[in-house]
Amino acid sequence: MTQATAGVKKPYLFYGAEVSLYSGKTRAYLRYKNIPFEERLSTLEVYRRIIVPNIGRRIIPVVCTPEGEYLQDTTAIIDALEPRFPQAPVYPDTPAQRLAALLLEVFGDEWLVMPAMHYRWQRKRQNLRFILREFGGMLRPQAPNWLKPAIGALPACVFGGIYQKYFGIGRPMHAAVERAYEGFLDEFNTHLEHHPFLLGSRPSIGDFGFVGPLYAHLYRDPGPGKLMRERAPNVARWVERMQHPEPLGGEFLAGDQIPATLLPILARMFREQGPVLRDTVRAVAQWCADHPDAEQLPRVIGSHPFQLEGSRSIRTIQPYAQWMFQRPLQHYQQLPAAERERIDPWLRQTGGLELLDTPIGTPLAFVGYRIRPVRSGAGDTAGRESPAA
Ligand SMILES: N[C@@H](CCC(=O)N[C@@H](CS)C(=O)NCC(=O)O)C(=O)O
């Protein structure tokens, strides 16, 4: 009997869909950790009967534990499951690798989502028919095939309609998004010539962050899927490995090593996403000072300028991104000076040293499926380290 089956009678229920970005992250994790689970499609009925009553909004993925506890948010799901399934932790326990893994999760979750949305909705000729059918099949799997595209049209309008403004990647930014993504693909493809995953032969939390955008949209949608397979075949093979992993297999590189081939990807993150993250931390502190009684933050608290590949635009400020960014920040800032001295050279080399010293004005916690401010004296759960610490 494996650790995953010992003592667990009922399986975990995983509500999600192949077409959904964050479902791909959770599914890959559940499979790698050999967690007994059943996948349930997030149909209209499931949203109405299960997701909205338990989570309070229409969002996937959702995991229901055998004890009947509902978990939402991929990072919260993983953090809840790691202590229950401690074999082959996805959080490295050495300082530098742990930092890199936490940073790259933020890059995957909160930055690669941009090319994912862009290529899904801007390659309509190759993708649209497929996507409409997929959305329709998710919401009403019993509907006849000819009707599915019509059923999928409404969510397609919602998702395909709002993201350009949300991320600030309308038409003037299209070329920049594509240049940045192609550059990333080349860098990751080169890395994968040397290592099966980001930090060795075991996937880390960073790999799970990457596989969300890189599976459902950028591998599986026909247009970007072709681009990935042709331009970055190692990345396509890595997606396949992530989706069908050897459960609990592999090791992180010995000696807390950060492979040299990861440095260009970290440099890209610090260059592109770093200023947005830093400004989000500033804006969150300001918003909380202006709303001293607020118990939770809205999804968006205004907008701010950003740059990508030399092009400028305006995107929404998303407090959730601060919550994700706090994880590597707090890990780094709590390290003993001697450890930081060991890590600082590669941070300096990749342009991330200053970013990692960002003070967190108002820490945020993720409680009750909502992002909430942790005001001084309120008992800090935001500083909670990931469970594999
Ligand atoms: N940060 C969340 C993001 C989840 C998310 O955005 N899910 C998408 C589908 S991939 C969704 O349901 N979006 C609807 C919404 O956000 O209102 C997580 O990690 O679970």
Side-chain angles (χ1 to χ4, degrees):
M1 209 186 297
T2 68
Q3 59 145 4
T5 53
V8 177
K9 302 256 168 10
K10 284 187 356 197
Y12 285 76
L13 300 180
F14 163 49
Y15 298 96
E18 289 277 330
V19 72
S20 127
L21 188 150
Y22 295 95
S23 297
K25 177 182 175 189
T26 306
R27 188 186 303 104
Y29 173 80
L30 293 170
R31 286 181 179 164
Y32 175 67
K33 294 292 291 202
N34 209 18
I35 295 174
F37 74 99
E38 281 175 14
E39 181 160 350
R40 303 272 162 92
L41 198 57
S42 50
T43 62
L44 279 176
E45 173 75 359
V46 163
Y47 274 112
R48 192 175 56 75
R49 258 188 336 101
I50 300 192
I51 296 178
V52 174
N54 286 291
I55 309 298
R57 57 191 269 231
R58 292 173 55 93
I59 188 154
I60 50 171
V62 168
V63 165
C64 180
T65 69
E67 297 77 30
E69 183 191 355
Y70 282 88
L71 306 171
Q72 200 295 308
D73 187 84
T74 51
T75 299
I77 292 169
I78 292 174
D79 283 4
L81 294 181
E82 277 293 284
R84 297 183 196 201
F85 296 91
Q87 205 176 320
V90 301
Y91 291 100
D93 62 7
T94 50
Q97 289 186 346
R98 190 184 190 91
L99 176 63
L102 288 168
L103 284 166
L104 293 170
E105 184 195 18
V106 185
F107 184 63
D109 269 33
E110 302 300 311
W111 202 249
L112 294 179
V113 59
M114 289 197 295
M117 298 300 277
H118 170 83
Y119 281 96
R120 168 166 287 180
W121 300 109
Q122 298 306 321
R123 292 286 183 276
K124 289 200 179 57
R125 206 164 37 81
Q126 296 109 312
N127 293 341
L128 194 60
R129 193 202 292 250
F130 173 77
I131 289 301
L132 292 180
R133 216 176 40 229
E134 289 278 306
F135 273 127
M138 171 182 87
L139 294 174
R140 283 194 194 274
Q142 321 298 1
N145 280 342
W146 60 266
L147 194 56
K148 284 181 180 156
I151 297 167
L154 181 63
C157 288
V158 173
F159 283 111
I162 57 175
Y163 81 89
Q164 296 199 58
K165 223 166 167 188
Y166 193 74
F167 294 116
I169 51 171
R171 185 162 298 281
M173 293 298 283
H174 286 182
V177 172
E178 295 187 9
R179 257 199 318 278
Y181 174 62
E182 288 177 10
F184 161 78
L185 267 188
D186 295 347
E187 288 155 4
F188 194 26
N189 196 57
T190 302
H191 171 78
L192 292 167
E193 274 168 28
H194 307 279
H195 305 280
F197 297 103
L198 288 169
L199 292 166
S201 57
R202 177 191 300 179
S204 71
I205 188 70
D207 293 270
F208 293 103
F210 274 26
V211 84
L214 289 171
Y215 172 61
H217 296 56
L218 293 164
Y219 171 90
R220 200 167 166 275
D221 288 356
K226 182 164 183 292
L227 170 68
M228 182 191 287
R229 278 180 273 274
E230 286 175 3
R231 184 172 181 123
N234 297 333
V235 178
R237 282 193 287 272
W238 166 88
V239 172
E240 289 154 11
R241 274 199 299 286
M242 288 297 289
Q243 284 302 313
H244 300 284
E246 183 202 325
L248 306 171
E251 292 303 334
F252 297 127
L253 292 167
D256 201 18
Q257 195 192 129
I258 301 297
T261 46
L262 268 196
L263 299 185
I265 300 178
L266 287 160
R268 176 176 295 281
M269 173 186 180
F270 295 140
R271 184 171 73 241
E272 294 179 0
Q273 191 182 17
V276 167
L277 292 170
R278 197 192 339 239
D279 198 56
T280 303
V281 172
R282 177 205 57 78
V284 163
Q286 184 63 54
W287 190 94
C288 292
D290 294 344
H291 301 80
D293 299 323
E295 287 182 1
Q296 65 184 62
L297 280 95
R299 191 159 176 173
V300 165
I301 53 166
S303 51
H304 54 181
F306 79 108
Q307 290 200 35
L308 187 63
E309 294 279 330
S311 298
R312 290 165 191 275
S313 183
I314 309 261
R315 72 187 330 257
T316 57
I317 304 173
Q318 302 150 29
Y320 177 87
Q322 174 181 318
W323 178 67
M324 289 293 294
F325 180 43
Q326 278 171 203
R327 295 157 48 84
L329 271 194
Q330 287 170 340
H331 165 70
Y332 174 75
Q333 292 176 5
Q334 287 165 10
L335 286 174
E339 293 291 3
R340 287 177 58 155
E341 270 166 35
R342 201 168 57 75
I343 290 176
D344 284 353
W346 65 257
L347 284 179
R348 195 172 294 113
Q349 191 188 338
T350 49
L353 194 53
E354 218 187 305
L355 180 70
L356 284 176
D357 271 327
T358 303
I360 304 168
T362 307
L364 300 178
F366 187 81
V367 179
Y369 316 116
R370 296 285 182 276
I371 292 290
R372 302 179 192 274
V374 179
R375 315 243 183 215
S376 27
D380 181 355
T381 50
R384 180 172 47 101
E385 264 276 25
S386 45

